[in-house]
Amino acid sequence: MDDHEGVDRGHVDRTIDLARESVAAGNTPFGALLVVDGEVVQEAQNTTRTDDDVTAHPELKLARWAARELDATERVACTMYASTEPCPMCATAIAYAGLGRVVFGVAGETLNEVSGGVVGIPCAEVIRRSPAETNIEGPIATDAAMAVHREFYGTDSEGE
C-alpha cells in the first residue's frame, strides 16, 4: 500500500466511524467527509431518521456545503470520502457541486445484498453521464465498511 492509498484508507476508516456514530444517534449507517489540500474541512453523518428527511444523506449534505462554502478551485481539488458508494441522488449533487474526486468503502451493489432497496445505478455511471469530471475510486474497504451494515441490518452473512 503506497502513501496515497494509506491516506485514502485512513479517511475511509473515519467515514466508517461516522457511520457507527450515525447508528448510535438513531440513523442508518452512513458517513462521509471532505478533504481539501490534505485537511478534513467537513464531516457528516446520515440523519434521515432523526431529521425525518429522506434526502439527509451525508454525501448530499457535504456536496451542498461545498457548493456554498468552497470556491470552484477548492471544489475541484476536493476529495469526498464515503463509507458507502454514493447513491444516484448524492452522485448527482457531487457532479453539480463540481467535486474533483470521490473515494468510497463499499459498493452499493454489495450493500444491497444485506439491506435491499439500493437504487442500482453506480456512482461512476451517474458521473459518466454528467458533464462532471469527478474521479470515482472504490470500493477500497469492503469488509470494514460492510461490518457496520451487517451489524445494523442484522445479518452475519459474509460477502465481498
Side-chain angles (χ1 to χ4, degrees):
M1 179 181 307
D2 66 27
D3 288 344
H4 186 69
E5 289 172 341
V7 168
D8 285 346
R9 180 56 193 258
H11 288 309
V12 167
D13 285 347
R14 173 62 186 144
T15 69
I16 295 166
D17 291 341
L18 290 165
R20 289 187 195 289
E21 292 172 19
S22 179
V23 171
N27 292 291
T28 53
F30 300 90
L33 59 84
L34 294 176
V35 173
V36 178
D37 295 329
E39 178 184 340
V40 176
V41 295
Q42 193 74 359
E43 295 182 339
Q45 301 171 15
N46 183 290
T47 56
T48 55
R49 292 181 174 179
T50 55
D51 288 350
D52 195 24
D53 179 354
V54 297
T55 70
H57 295 194
E59 304 88 350
L60 179 61
K61 293 191 289 187
L62 290 177
R64 292 178 68 203
W65 180 88
R68 284 190 314 268
E69 303 296 329
L70 302 176
D71 65 35
T73 302
E74 290 171 316
R75 291 193 307 269
V76 168
C78 184
T79 299
M80 177 183 286
Y81 292 91
S83 60
T84 305
E85 181 178 13
C87 74
M89 173 184 70
C90 295
T92 301
I94 289 163
Y96 287 157
L99 302 185
R101 184 170 174 249
V102 173
V103 180
F104 61 87
V106 64
E109 182 178 344
T110 304
L111 167 62
N112 194 54
E113 294 170 11
V114 297
S115 69
V118 172
V119 177
I121 303 170
C123 180
E125 178 66 12
V126 173
I127 297 300
R128 185 186 69 76
R129 291 178 175 223
S130 79
E133 296 184 16
T134 307
N135 293 315
I136 308 297
E137 299 173 32
I140 71 162
T142 297
D143 291 339
M146 276 303 288
V148 67
H149 290 297
R150 285 190 187 101
E151 291 165 17
F152 181 81
Y153 292 105
T155 178
D156 291 327
S157 67
E158 294 295 322
E160 212 33 50

